[in-house]
Coordinates of all heavy atoms in Angstrom, one line a residue:
H1 N -84.1 1.1 -124.6 CA -85.3 0.6 -123.9 C -84.9 -0.7 -123.0 O -85.5 -0.9 -122.0 CB -86.4 0.2 -124.8 CG -86.9 1.4 -125.5 ND1 -87.6 2.4 -124.9 CD2 -87.0 1.7 -126.8 CE1 -87.9 3.3 -125.7 NE2 -87.6 2.9 -126.9
V2 N -83.8 -1.4 -123.5 CA -83.4 -2.5 -122.7 C -82.9 -2.1 -121.3 O -83.2 -2.7 -120.3 CB -82.3 -3.3 -123.5 CG1 -81.7 -4.4 -122.6 CG2 -82.8 -3.9 -124.8
F3 N -82.2 -1.0 -121.3 CA -81.6 -0.5 -120.0 C -82.7 0.0 -119.1 O -82.7 -0.3 -117.9 CB -80.6 0.6 -120.3 CG -79.5 0.2 -121.2 CD1 -79.4 0.6 -122.5 CD2 -78.5 -0.7 -120.7 CE1 -78.4 0.2 -123.3 CE2 -77.5 -1.1 -121.5 CZ -77.4 -0.7 -122.8
E4 N -83.7 0.6 -119.7 CA -84.8 1.1 -118.8 C -85.6 -0.1 -118.2 O -85.9 -0.1 -117.0 CB -85.8 1.9 -119.7 CG -85.2 3.3 -120.1 CD -86.2 4.1 -121.0 OE1 -87.4 3.7 -121.1 OE2 -85.7 5.0 -121.6
A5 N -85.8 -1.1 -119.0 CA -86.5 -2.3 -118.5 C -85.7 -3.0 -117.4 O -86.2 -3.4 -116.4 CB -86.8 -3.3 -119.6
A6 N -84.4 -3.0 -117.6 CA -83.5 -3.7 -116.7 C -83.5 -3.0 -115.3 O -83.6 -3.6 -114.3 CB -82.1 -3.8 -117.2
Y7 N -83.3 -1.7 -115.4 CA -83.2 -1.0 -114.1 C -84.6 -0.8 -113.4 O -84.7 -0.7 -112.2 CB -82.4 0.3 -114.2 CG -83.1 1.5 -114.8 CD1 -84.1 2.2 -114.1 CD2 -82.7 2.0 -116.0 CE1 -84.7 3.3 -114.7 CE2 -83.3 3.1 -116.6 CZ -84.3 3.8 -115.9 OH -84.9 4.9 -116.5
Q8 N -85.7 -0.8 -114.2 CA -87.0 -0.8 -113.5 C -87.3 -2.2 -112.9 O -87.9 -2.2 -111.9 CB -88.0 -0.4 -114.6 CG -88.0 1.0 -114.9 CD -89.0 1.4 -116.0 OE1 -89.7 0.6 -116.5 NE2 -89.1 2.7 -116.3
L9 N -86.9 -3.2 -113.6 CA -87.2 -4.6 -113.1 C -86.4 -4.9 -111.8 O -86.9 -5.5 -110.9 CB -86.8 -5.6 -114.1 CG -87.0 -7.1 -113.7 CD1 -88.5 -7.4 -113.6 CD2 -86.4 -8.0 -114.8
T10 N -85.2 -4.4 -111.7 CA -84.3 -4.7 -110.6 C -84.1 -3.5 -109.6 O -83.4 -3.7 -108.6 CB -82.9 -5.2 -111.1 OG1 -82.3 -4.1 -111.8 CG2 -83.0 -6.4 -111.9
A11 N -84.8 -2.4 -109.8 CA -84.7 -1.3 -109.0 C -83.2 -0.8 -108.8 O -82.8 -0.4 -107.8 CB -85.3 -1.5 -107.6
A12 N -82.5 -0.8 -109.9 CA -81.1 -0.5 -109.9 C -80.8 1.0 -110.0 O -79.7 1.5 -109.7 CB -80.3 -1.2 -111.0
G13 N -81.8 1.7 -110.4 CA -81.5 3.2 -110.5 C -82.8 3.9 -110.9 O -83.8 3.3 -111.1
T14 N -82.7 5.2 -111.1 CA -83.8 6.0 -111.4 C -83.7 6.7 -112.7 O -84.6 7.2 -113.3 CB -84.1 7.1 -110.3 OG1 -82.9 7.8 -110.1 CG2 -84.5 6.4 -109.0
T15 N -82.4 6.8 -113.2 CA -82.2 7.5 -114.5 C -81.5 6.5 -115.5 O -80.9 5.6 -115.0 CB -81.4 8.7 -114.4 OG1 -80.1 8.3 -113.8 CG2 -82.0 9.7 -113.5
K16 N -81.7 6.8 -116.8 CA -81.0 5.9 -117.8 C -79.5 6.2 -117.8 O -79.1 7.4 -117.8 CB -81.7 6.2 -119.1 CG -81.2 5.3 -120.2 CD -81.9 5.3 -121.5 CE -82.5 6.6 -121.9 NZ -83.0 6.6 -123.3
P17 N -78.7 5.2 -117.8 CA -77.2 5.4 -117.8 C -76.8 6.1 -119.2 O -77.4 5.7 -120.2 CB -76.6 4.0 -117.7 CG -77.7 3.1 -117.9 CD -79.0 3.8 -117.7
T18 N -75.9 7.0 -119.1 CA -75.5 7.7 -120.3 C -74.2 7.2 -120.8 O -73.9 7.4 -122.0 CB -75.4 9.2 -120.0 OG1 -74.5 9.4 -118.9 CG2 -76.7 9.8 -119.6
S19 N -73.3 6.6 -120.0 CA -72.0 6.1 -120.5 C -72.1 4.6 -120.8 O -72.9 3.9 -120.3 CB -70.9 6.4 -119.4 OG -71.2 5.7 -118.3
W20 N -71.1 4.2 -121.6 CA -71.0 2.8 -121.9 C -70.7 1.9 -120.6 O -71.3 0.9 -120.4 CB -69.9 2.6 -122.9 CG -69.7 1.1 -123.3 CD1 -68.6 0.4 -123.0 CD2 -70.6 0.3 -124.0 NE1 -68.8 -0.9 -123.5 CE2 -70.0 -1.0 -124.1 CE3 -71.9 0.5 -124.6 CZ2 -70.6 -2.0 -124.7 CZ3 -72.5 -0.6 -125.2 CH2 -71.8 -1.8 -125.3
A21 N -69.9 2.4 -119.8 CA -69.5 1.8 -118.5 C -70.7 1.7 -117.6 O -71.0 0.6 -117.0 CB -68.4 2.5 -117.8
G22 N -71.5 2.7 -117.6 CA -72.7 2.7 -116.7 C -73.7 1.7 -117.2 O -74.4 1.0 -116.4
R23 N -73.9 1.6 -118.5 CA -74.8 0.6 -119.1 C -74.4 -0.8 -118.8 O -75.2 -1.7 -118.5 CB -74.9 0.8 -120.6 CG -75.7 2.1 -121.0 CD -75.7 2.3 -122.5 NE -76.4 3.5 -122.8 CZ -76.3 4.2 -123.9 NH1 -75.4 3.8 -124.8 NH2 -76.9 5.3 -124.1
M24 N -73.1 -1.1 -118.9 CA -72.5 -2.4 -118.6 C -72.7 -2.7 -117.1 O -73.1 -3.9 -116.8 CB -71.1 -2.5 -119.0 CG -70.8 -2.5 -120.5 SD -71.8 -3.7 -121.4 CE -71.2 -5.2 -120.8
L25 N -72.5 -1.7 -116.3 CA -72.6 -2.0 -114.9 C -74.1 -2.3 -114.5 O -74.4 -3.2 -113.8 CB -72.2 -0.7 -114.1 CG -72.3 -0.8 -112.6 CD1 -71.4 -1.9 -112.0 CD2 -72.0 0.5 -111.9
L26 N -75.0 -1.5 -115.1 CA -76.4 -1.7 -114.9 C -76.9 -3.1 -115.4 O -77.6 -3.8 -114.7 CB -77.3 -0.7 -115.6 CG -78.8 -0.8 -115.5 CD1 -79.2 -0.7 -114.1 CD2 -79.5 0.2 -116.4
L27 N -76.4 -3.5 -116.6 CA -76.8 -4.8 -117.1 C -76.2 -5.9 -116.3 O -76.9 -6.9 -116.0 CB -76.3 -5.0 -118.6 CG -77.2 -4.3 -119.6 CD1 -76.6 -4.5 -121.0 CD2 -78.6 -4.9 -119.6
S28 N -75.0 -5.8 -115.8 CA -74.4 -6.8 -115.0 C -75.1 -6.9 -113.6 O -75.4 -8.0 -113.2 CB -72.9 -6.4 -114.7 OG -72.2 -6.4 -115.9
W29 N -75.4 -5.8 -113.0 CA -76.2 -5.8 -111.8 C -77.5 -6.4 -112.0 O -78.0 -7.2 -111.2 CB -76.2 -4.4 -111.2 CG -77.1 -4.4 -109.9 CD1 -78.3 -3.8 -109.8 CD2 -76.8 -5.0 -108.7 NE1 -78.8 -4.0 -108.5 CE2 -77.9 -4.8 -107.8 CE3 -75.7 -5.8 -108.2 CZ2 -77.9 -5.2 -106.5 CZ3 -75.7 -6.2 -106.9 CH2 -76.8 -6.0 -106.1
S30 N -78.2 -6.0 -113.0 CA -79.5 -6.6 -113.3 C -79.5 -8.1 -113.5 O -80.4 -8.8 -113.0 CB -80.1 -5.9 -114.6 OG -80.3 -4.5 -114.4
W31 N -78.5 -8.6 -114.2 CA -78.3 -10.0 -114.5 C -78.1 -10.7 -113.1 O -78.7 -11.8 -112.9 CB -77.2 -10.2 -115.4 CG -76.9 -11.7 -115.6 CD1 -75.8 -12.4 -115.1 CD2 -77.7 -12.7 -116.2 NE1 -75.9 -13.7 -115.5 CE2 -77.1 -13.9 -116.2 CE3 -79.0 -12.6 -116.9 CZ2 -77.6 -15.1 -116.7 CZ3 -79.5 -13.8 -117.4 CH2 -78.8 -15.0 -117.3
C32 N -77.3 -10.2 -112.2 CA -77.1 -10.8 -110.9 C -78.3 -10.8 -110.1 O -78.6 -11.8 -109.5 CB -76.0 -10.0 -110.2 SG -74.3 -10.3 -110.9
V33 N -79.1 -9.8 -110.1 CA -80.3 -9.7 -109.3 C -81.3 -10.7 -109.9 O -81.9 -11.5 -109.1 CB -80.9 -8.3 -109.3 CG1 -82.4 -8.3 -108.8 CG2 -80.1 -7.3 -108.6
I34 N -81.5 -10.8 -111.2 CA -82.4 -11.8 -111.8 C -81.9 -13.2 -111.5 O -82.8 -14.1 -111.1 CB -82.5 -11.6 -113.3 CG1 -83.3 -10.2 -113.5 CG2 -83.2 -12.7 -114.0 CD1 -83.3 -9.8 -114.9
L35 N -80.6 -13.5 -111.5 CA -80.1 -14.8 -111.2 C -80.4 -15.2 -109.8 O -80.8 -16.3 -109.5 CB -78.6 -14.8 -111.5 CG -77.9 -16.2 -111.4 CD1 -78.4 -17.1 -112.5 CD2 -76.4 -16.0 -111.5
I36 N -80.2 -14.3 -108.8 CA -80.4 -14.5 -107.4 C -81.9 -14.8 -107.2 O -82.3 -15.7 -106.4 CB -79.9 -13.4 -106.5 CG1 -78.4 -13.4 -106.6 CG2 -80.4 -13.5 -105.1 CD1 -77.7 -12.1 -106.0
I37 N -82.8 -14.0 -107.8 CA -84.2 -14.2 -107.6 C -84.6 -15.6 -108.2 O -85.4 -16.3 -107.6 CB -85.0 -13.0 -108.3 CG1 -84.8 -11.8 -107.5 CG2 -86.5 -13.4 -108.4 CD1 -85.4 -10.5 -108.2
A38 N -84.1 -15.9 -109.3 CA -84.4 -17.2 -109.9 C -83.9 -18.4 -109.1 O -84.6 -19.4 -108.9 CB -83.8 -17.3 -111.3
A39 N -82.7 -18.3 -108.5 CA -82.2 -19.3 -107.6 C -83.0 -19.4 -106.4 O -83.3 -20.5 -105.9 CB -80.7 -19.0 -107.3
Y40 N -83.4 -18.3 -105.8 CA -84.3 -18.3 -104.6 C -85.6 -19.0 -104.9 O -86.1 -19.8 -104.1 CB -84.5 -16.9 -104.1 CG -85.5 -16.9 -103.0 CD1 -85.1 -17.3 -101.7 CD2 -86.8 -16.4 -103.2 CE1 -86.1 -17.2 -100.7 CE2 -87.7 -16.4 -102.2 CZ -87.3 -16.8 -100.9 OH -88.3 -16.7 -99.9
T41 N -86.2 -18.6 -106.0 CA -87.5 -19.2 -106.4 C -87.4 -20.7 -106.6 O -88.3 -21.5 -106.1 CB -88.0 -18.5 -107.7 OG1 -88.1 -17.1 -107.4 CG2 -89.4 -19.0 -108.0
A42 N -86.3 -21.2 -107.3 CA -86.2 -22.6 -107.5 C -86.0 -23.3 -106.2 O -86.5 -24.4 -106.0 CB -85.0 -22.8 -108.5
N43 N -85.2 -22.8 -105.3 CA -84.9 -23.4 -104.0 C -86.2 -23.5 -103.2 O -86.5 -24.5 -102.6 CB -83.8 -22.6 -103.3 CG -83.3 -23.4 -102.1 OD1 -83.4 -24.6 -102.0 ND2 -82.8 -22.6 -101.1
L44 N -87.0 -22.4 -103.2 CA -88.2 -22.4 -102.5 C -89.2 -23.4 -103.0 O -89.8 -24.1 -102.3 CB -88.8 -21.0 -102.5 CG -90.2 -20.8 -101.8 CD1 -90.0 -21.1 -100.3 CD2 -90.7 -19.4 -102.0
A45 N -89.3 -23.5 -104.3 CA -90.1 -24.5 -105.0 C -89.7 -25.9 -104.6 O -90.6 -26.8 -104.4 CB -90.1 -24.3 -106.5
S46 N -88.4 -26.2 -104.6 CA -88.0 -27.5 -104.2 C -88.3 -27.9 -102.8 O -88.7 -29.0 -102.5 CB -86.5 -27.7 -104.5 OG -85.7 -27.0 -103.5
F47 N -88.3 -26.9 -101.9 CA -88.6 -27.2 -100.5 C -90.1 -27.4 -100.4 O -90.6 -28.2 -99.5 CB -88.3 -26.0 -99.6 CG -86.9 -26.1 -99.1 CD1 -85.9 -25.1 -99.5 CD2 -86.4 -27.1 -98.3 CE1 -84.7 -25.2 -99.0 CE2 -85.1 -27.2 -97.8 CZ -84.2 -26.2 -98.2
L48 N -90.9 -26.8 -101.2 CA -92.4 -27.0 -101.1 C -92.9 -28.3 -101.7 O -93.9 -28.8 -101.4 CB -93.1 -25.8 -101.8 CG -92.9 -24.4 -101.1 CD1 -93.5 -23.3 -102.0 CD2 -93.5 -24.4 -99.7
V49 N -92.1 -28.8 -102.6 CA -92.5 -30.1 -103.3 C -92.0 -31.3 -102.7 O -92.7 -32.4 -102.7 CB -92.0 -30.0 -104.8 CG1 -92.8 -31.0 -105.6 CG2 -92.1 -28.7 -105.4
V50 N -90.8 -31.3 -102.0 CA -90.2 -32.5 -101.5 C -91.0 -33.0 -100.3 O -91.4 -32.2 -99.4 CB -88.7 -32.2 -101.1 CG1 -88.1 -33.3 -100.4 CG2 -87.9 -31.9 -102.4
N51 N -91.1 -34.3 -100.2 CA -91.8 -34.9 -99.0 C -90.7 -35.4 -98.1 O -90.0 -36.4 -98.4 CB -92.7 -36.0 -99.5 CG -93.5 -36.6 -98.3 OD1 -93.4 -36.1 -97.2 ND2 -94.2 -37.6 -98.6
N52 N -90.4 -34.7 -97.0 CA -89.3 -35.0 -96.1 C -89.8 -35.8 -94.9 O -89.5 -35.4 -93.8 CB -88.7 -33.7 -95.6 CG -87.6 -33.3 -96.5 OD1 -87.1 -34.0 -97.3 ND2 -87.2 -32.0 -96.4
Q53 N -90.4 -36.9 -95.1 CA -90.8 -37.7 -94.0 C -89.7 -38.8 -93.7 O -89.3 -39.4 -94.7 CB -92.1 -38.4 -94.2 CG -93.3 -37.4 -94.2 CD -94.6 -38.1 -94.3 OE1 -94.7 -39.3 -94.6 NE2 -95.7 -37.3 -94.2
A54 N -89.3 -39.0 -92.5 CA -88.3 -40.0 -92.2 C -88.9 -41.4 -92.4 O -90.0 -41.6 -92.1 CB -87.8 -39.8 -90.8
K55 N -88.0 -42.2 -93.0 CA -88.4 -43.6 -93.2 C -88.0 -44.4 -92.0 O -86.8 -44.5 -91.7 CB -87.8 -44.1 -94.5 CG -88.4 -45.3 -95.1 CD -87.6 -45.7 -96.3 CE -88.4 -46.1 -97.4 NZ -87.7 -46.6 -98.5
I56 N -88.9 -45.1 -91.4 CA -88.6 -45.9 -90.2 C -88.4 -47.3 -90.7 O -89.2 -48.0 -91.3 CB -89.8 -45.9 -89.2 CG1 -90.0 -44.5 -88.7 CG2 -89.5 -46.8 -88.0 CD1 -91.2 -44.3 -87.8
E57 N -87.1 -47.8 -90.5 CA -86.8 -49.1 -91.0 C -87.2 -50.2 -90.0 O -87.4 -51.3 -90.4 CB -85.2 -49.2 -91.2 CG -84.8 -48.3 -92.4 CD -83.3 -48.5 -92.6 OE1 -82.8 -49.7 -92.6 OE2 -82.6 -47.5 -92.8
F58 N -87.2 -49.9 -88.7 CA -87.6 -50.8 -87.7 C -88.1 -50.1 -86.5 O -87.8 -48.9 -86.3 CB -86.4 -51.7 -87.3 CG -85.1 -50.9 -87.1 CD1 -84.8 -50.3 -85.9 CD2 -84.2 -50.8 -88.1 CE1 -83.7 -49.6 -85.7 CE2 -83.0 -50.1 -87.9 CZ -82.8 -49.5 -86.7
D59 N -88.9 -50.8 -85.7 CA -89.5 -50.1 -84.5 C -89.2 -50.7 -83.2 O -89.8 -50.4 -82.2 CB -91.0 -50.0 -84.7 CG -91.7 -51.4 -85.0 OD1 -90.9 -52.4 -85.0 OD2 -92.9 -51.4 -85.1
S60 N -88.3 -51.7 -83.2 CA -87.9 -52.3 -81.9 C -86.5 -52.9 -82.1 O -86.0 -53.0 -83.2 CB -88.9 -53.5 -81.6 OG -88.8 -54.5 -82.5
L61 N -85.9 -53.2 -80.9 CA -84.6 -53.8 -80.9 C -84.6 -55.1 -81.6 O -83.6 -55.4 -82.4 CB -84.1 -54.0 -79.5 CG -82.7 -54.6 -79.3 CD1 -81.7 -53.7 -79.9 CD2 -82.4 -54.8 -77.8
S62 N -85.6 -56.0 -81.5 CA -85.6 -57.3 -82.1 C -85.7 -57.1 -83.6 O -85.1 -57.9 -84.4 CB -86.7 -58.1 -81.6 OG -87.9 -57.5 -81.8
A63 N -86.4 -56.1 -84.1 CA -86.6 -55.9 -85.5 C -85.2 -55.4 -86.1 O -84.8 -55.8 -87.2 CB -87.7 -54.9 -85.8
A64 N -84.5 -54.6 -85.4 CA -83.2 -54.1 -85.8 C -82.2 -55.3 -85.9 O -81.4 -55.4 -86.8 CB -82.7 -53.0 -84.9
I65 N -82.3 -56.2 -84.9 CA -81.4 -57.3 -84.9 C -81.7 -58.3 -86.0 O -80.9 -58.9 -86.7 CB -81.4 -58.0 -83.5 CG1 -80.7 -57.1 -82.5 CG2 -80.7 -59.4 -83.5 CD1 -80.7 -57.5 -81.1
D66 N -83.0 -58.5 -86.3 CA -83.5 -59.4 -87.4 C -83.0 -58.8 -88.7 O -82.7 -59.6 -89.6 CB -85.0 -59.5 -87.4 CG -85.5 -60.3 -86.2 OD1 -84.7 -61.0 -85.6 OD2 -86.7 -60.1 -85.9
K67 N -82.9 -57.5 -88.9 CA -82.4 -56.9 -90.1 C -80.9 -56.8 -90.1 O -80.3 -56.2 -91.1 CB -83.0 -55.6 -90.3 CG -84.5 -55.7 -90.6 CD -85.1 -54.3 -91.0 CE -86.5 -54.4 -91.3 NZ -87.1 -53.2 -91.8
Q68 N -80.2 -57.3 -89.1 CA -78.7 -57.3 -89.0 C -78.2 -55.9 -89.1 O -77.1 -55.6 -89.7 CB -78.1 -58.2 -90.1 CG -78.3 -59.7 -89.9 CD -77.7 -60.2 -88.6 OE1 -76.5 -60.0 -88.4 NE2 -78.5 -60.8 -87.8
K69 N -78.8 -54.9 -88.4 CA -78.3 -53.6 -88.3 C -77.3 -53.5 -87.2 O -77.3 -54.3 -86.2 CB -79.4 -52.6 -88.0 CG -80.5 -52.5 -89.0 CD -79.9 -52.0 -90.3 CE -81.0 -51.9 -91.4 NZ -80.5 -51.4 -92.6
V70 N -76.3 -52.6 -87.3 CA -75.3 -52.4 -86.3 C -76.0 -51.6 -85.1 O -76.6 -50.6 -85.4 CB -74.1 -51.6 -86.8 CG1 -73.1 -51.3 -85.7 CG2 -73.4 -52.4 -87.9
I71 N -75.8 -52.1 -83.9 CA -76.4 -51.4 -82.7 C -75.2 -51.0 -81.8 O -74.3 -51.8 -81.5 CB -77.3 -52.4 -82.0 CG1 -78.5 -52.7 -82.9 CG2 -77.8 -51.7 -80.7 CD1 -79.4 -53.8 -82.3
C72 N -75.2 -49.7 -81.5 CA -74.2 -49.2 -80.6 C -74.7 -48.9 -79.2 O -75.8 -48.3 -79.1 CB -73.6 -47.9 -81.2 SG -72.9 -48.1 -82.9
M73 N -74.0 -49.3 -78.2 CA -74.5 -49.1 -76.8 C -73.3 -48.8 -75.9 O -72.2 -49.2 -76.2 CB -75.2 -50.4 -76.3 CG -76.4 -50.9 -77.1 SD -77.0 -52.4 -76.4 CE -77.7 -51.9 -74.9
L74 N -73.6 -48.0 -74.9 CA -72.6 -47.8 -73.8 C -72.5 -49.1 -73.0 O -73.5 -49.9 -72.9 CB -73.0 -46.7 -72.9 CG -72.9 -45.3 -73.4 CD1 -73.5 -44.3 -72.5 CD2 -71.4 -45.0 -73.7
D75 N -71.3 -49.4 -72.5 CA -71.1 -50.7 -71.8 C -71.7 -50.6 -70.4 O -71.1 -50.2 -69.5 CB -69.6 -51.0 -71.8 CG -69.3 -52.4 -71.4 OD1 -70.2 -53.2 -71.4 OD2 -68.1 -52.7 -71.2
T76 N -73.0 -51.0 -70.4 CA -73.7 -51.0 -69.1 C -74.4 -52.4 -68.9 O -74.1 -53.3 -69.7 CB -74.8 -50.0 -69.1 OG1 -75.7 -50.2 -70.2 CG2 -74.3 -48.6 -69.3
A77 N -75.2 -52.5 -68.0 CA -75.9 -53.8 -67.7 C -76.8 -54.2 -68.9 O -77.0 -55.4 -69.1 CB -76.7 -53.7 -66.5
S78 N -77.2 -53.3 -69.7 CA -78.1 -53.6 -70.8 C -77.3 -54.4 -71.9 O -77.9 -55.2 -72.6 CB -78.6 -52.3 -71.5 OG -79.4 -51.6 -70.6
V79 N -76.0 -54.2 -72.0 CA -75.2 -54.9 -73.0 C -75.2 -56.4 -72.7 O -75.4 -57.2 -73.6 CB -73.8 -54.3 -73.0 CG1 -72.9 -55.2 -73.9 CG2 -73.8 -52.9 -73.5
S80 N -75.0 -56.7 -71.4 CA -75.0 -58.2 -71.1 C -76.4 -58.8 -71.3 O -76.5 -60.0 -71.8 CB -74.6 -58.4 -69.6 OG -75.5 -57.7 -68.8
W81 N -77.5 -58.1 -71.1 CA -78.8 -58.6 -71.4 C -79.0 -58.8 -72.9 O -79.5 -59.9 -73.4 CB -79.9 -57.6 -71.0 CG -81.3 -58.1 -71.3 CD1 -82.0 -58.9 -70.6 CD2 -82.0 -57.7 -72.5 NE1 -83.2 -59.1 -71.3 CE2 -83.2 -58.3 -72.4 CE3 -81.8 -56.8 -73.5 CZ2 -84.2 -58.2 -73.4 CZ3 -82.7 -56.7 -74.5 CH2 -83.9 -57.3 -74.4
V82 N -78.5 -57.9 -73.8 CA -78.6 -58.0 -75.2 C -77.8 -59.2 -75.7 O -78.2 -60.0 -76.5 CB -78.1 -56.7 -76.0 CG1 -78.0 -57.0 -77.5 CG2 -79.1 -55.6 -75.7
K83 N -76.5 -59.4 -75.1 CA -75.7 -60.5 -75.5 C -76.3 -61.8 -75.1 O -76.2 -62.8 -75.8 CB -74.3 -60.3 -74.9 CG -73.5 -59.2 -75.5 CD -72.1 -59.2 -74.9 CE -71.3 -58.1 -75.5 NZ -70.0 -57.9 -74.9
K84 N -77.0 -61.9 -74.0 CA -77.6 -63.1 -73.5 C -78.8 -63.4 -74.3 O -79.1 -64.6 -74.7 CB -77.9 -63.0 -72.0 CG -78.4 -64.3 -71.4 CD -78.6 -64.1 -69.9 CE -79.6 -63.0 -69.6 NZ -80.0 -63.0 -68.2
T85 N -79.7 -62.4 -74.5 CA -80.9 -62.6 -75.2 C -80.7 -62.9 -76.7 O -81.4 -63.7 -77.3 CB -81.8 -61.4 -75.1 OG1 -81.9 -61.1 -73.7 CG2 -83.2 -61.6 -75.6
Y86 N -79.8 -62.2 -77.3 CA -79.5 -62.4 -78.8 C -78.1 -62.9 -79.0 O -77.2 -62.3 -79.5 CB -79.7 -61.1 -79.5 CG -81.1 -60.5 -79.3 CD1 -81.3 -59.4 -78.4 CD2 -82.2 -60.9 -80.1 CE1 -82.6 -58.9 -78.3 CE2 -83.4 -60.4 -79.9 CZ -83.6 -59.4 -79.0 OH -84.9 -58.8 -78.8
A87 N -77.9 -64.2 -78.6 CA -76.6 -64.8 -78.5 C -75.9 -64.8 -79.9 O -74.7 -64.7 -80.1 CB -76.6 -66.1 -77.9
G88 N -76.7 -65.0 -81.0 CA -76.1 -65.2 -82.3 C -75.8 -63.9 -83.0 O -75.3 -63.8 -84.1
Y89 N -76.2 -62.8 -82.4 CA -76.0 -61.4 -83.0 C -74.6 -61.0 -82.9 O -74.0 -60.9 -81.8 CB -77.0 -60.4 -82.4 CG -76.9 -59.1 -83.0 CD1 -77.3 -58.8 -84.3 CD2 -76.4 -58.0 -82.2 CE1 -77.2 -57.5 -84.8 CE2 -76.3 -56.7 -82.7 CZ -76.7 -56.5 -84.0 OH -76.7 -55.3 -84.5
S90 N -73.9 -60.6 -84.0 CA -72.5 -60.3 -83.9 C -72.2 -58.8 -84.2 O -71.1 -58.4 -84.3 CB -71.8 -61.1 -84.9 OG -72.2 -60.9 -86.2
K91 N -73.2 -58.0 -84.5 CA -73.0 -56.6 -84.9 C -73.2 -55.6 -83.7 O -73.4 -54.4 -84.0 CB -73.8 -56.2 -86.1 CG -73.5 -57.0 -87.3 CD -74.2 -56.4 -88.5 CE -73.8 -57.1 -89.8 NZ -74.3 -56.5 -90.9
L92 N -73.1 -56.0 -82.5 CA -73.2 -55.1 -81.4 C -71.9 -54.4 -81.1 O -70.8 -55.1 -81.0 CB -73.6 -55.9 -80.1 CG -73.8 -55.1 -78.8 CD1 -74.9 -54.1 -79.0 CD2 -74.0 -56.0 -77.7
R93 N -71.9 -53.1 -81.0 CA -70.7 -52.3 -80.8 C -70.9 -51.7 -79.4 O -71.9 -51.0 -79.2 CB -70.5 -51.2 -81.8 CG -70.5 -51.7 -83.3 CD -69.2 -52.6 -83.5 NE -69.1 -53.0 -84.9 CZ -69.5 -54.2 -85.3 NH1 -69.9 -55.1 -84.5 NH2 -69.4 -54.5 -86.6
T94 N -69.9 -51.8 -78.5 CA -70.0 -51.3 -77.2 C -68.9 -50.2 -77.0 O -67.8 -50.3 -77.6 CB -69.9 -52.3 -76.1 OG1 -68.6 -53.0 -76.3 CG2 -71.0 -53.3 -76.2
F95 N -69.2 -49.2 -76.2 CA -68.3 -48.1 -75.9 C -68.2 -48.0 -74.4 O -69.2 -48.1 -73.7 CB -68.8 -46.8 -76.5 CG -68.8 -46.9 -78.0 CD1 -70.0 -47.3 -78.7 CD2 -67.7 -46.6 -78.8 CE1 -70.0 -47.4 -80.1 CE2 -67.7 -46.7 -80.2 CZ -68.9 -47.1 -80.8
T96 N -67.1 -47.7 -73.9 CA -66.9 -47.6 -72.4 C -67.0 -46.1 -72.0 O -67.4 -45.8 -70.9 CB -65.5 -48.1 -72.0 OG1 -64.5 -47.5 -72.7 CG2 -65.5 -49.6 -72.2
V97 N -66.7 -45.2 -72.9 CA -66.8 -43.7 -72.5 C -67.8 -43.1 -73.4 O -67.9 -43.4 -74.6 CB -65.4 -43.1 -72.8 CG1 -65.4 -41.6 -72.4 CG2 -64.3 -43.8 -72.0
E98 N -68.7 -42.3 -72.9 CA -69.8 -41.7 -73.6 C -69.3 -40.9 -74.8 O -69.9 -40.9 -75.8 CB -70.7 -40.9 -72.7 CG -71.9 -40.4 -73.4 CD -72.9 -39.8 -72.4 OE1 -72.7 -40.0 -71.2 OE2 -73.9 -39.2 -72.8
H99 N -68.2 -40.1 -74.7 CA -67.8 -39.2 -75.8 C -67.3 -40.1 -77.0 O -67.2 -39.6 -78.1 CB -66.8 -38.2 -75.4 CG -65.5 -38.7 -75.1 ND1 -65.1 -39.1 -73.8 CD2 -64.4 -38.8 -75.8 CE1 -63.9 -39.5 -73.8 NE2 -63.4 -39.4 -75.0
D100 N -66.9 -41.3 -76.8 CA -66.6 -42.2 -77.9 C -67.8 -42.7 -78.7 O -67.7 -43.0 -79.8 CB -65.8 -43.5 -77.4 CG -64.5 -43.1 -76.9 OD1 -63.9 -42.0 -77.2 OD2 -63.9 -43.9 -76.1
F101 N -69.0 -42.7 -78.0 CA -70.2 -43.1 -78.6 C -70.7 -42.1 -79.6 O -71.2 -42.5 -80.6 CB -71.2 -43.4 -77.5 CG -72.5 -43.9 -77.9 CD1 -72.6 -45.2 -78.5 CD2 -73.7 -43.2 -77.9 CE1 -73.8 -45.7 -78.9 CE2 -74.9 -43.7 -78.3 CZ -75.0 -44.9 -78.8
V102 N -70.7 -40.9 -79.3 CA -71.2 -39.8 -80.2 C -70.1 -39.2 -81.0 O -69.1 -38.7 -80.5 CB -71.9 -38.7 -79.3 CG1 -72.5 -37.7 -80.3 CG2 -73.0 -39.3 -78.4
H103 N -70.3 -39.3 -82.3 CA -69.3 -38.8 -83.2 C -69.7 -37.5 -83.9 O -70.8 -37.3 -84.3 CB -68.9 -39.8 -84.3 CG -68.2 -40.9 -83.8 ND1 -68.8 -42.0 -83.3 CD2 -66.9 -41.2 -83.8 CE1 -67.9 -42.9 -82.9 NE2 -66.7 -42.5 -83.2

């Protein structure tokens, strides 16, 4: 009866296996199917429960500088403005080539 329940649950076959090897193959396949279904269900449940809202640490350049965050900028006229406006800020990183900026 165990084999009948296993192959009916996992749709592994239509007849009861008659050999020992067939029974082992059916049980192995049934175990794999149940394991995959359980993993899928757990993964789906975790996606449904998790709250994936991004946390905003700051909403302006001055707030980022106040929190001493590293700021990366291409070397343009804006960099000289930032250096002049926030003279005491030391975590400004500048890049001359755009592909060096994006990693």
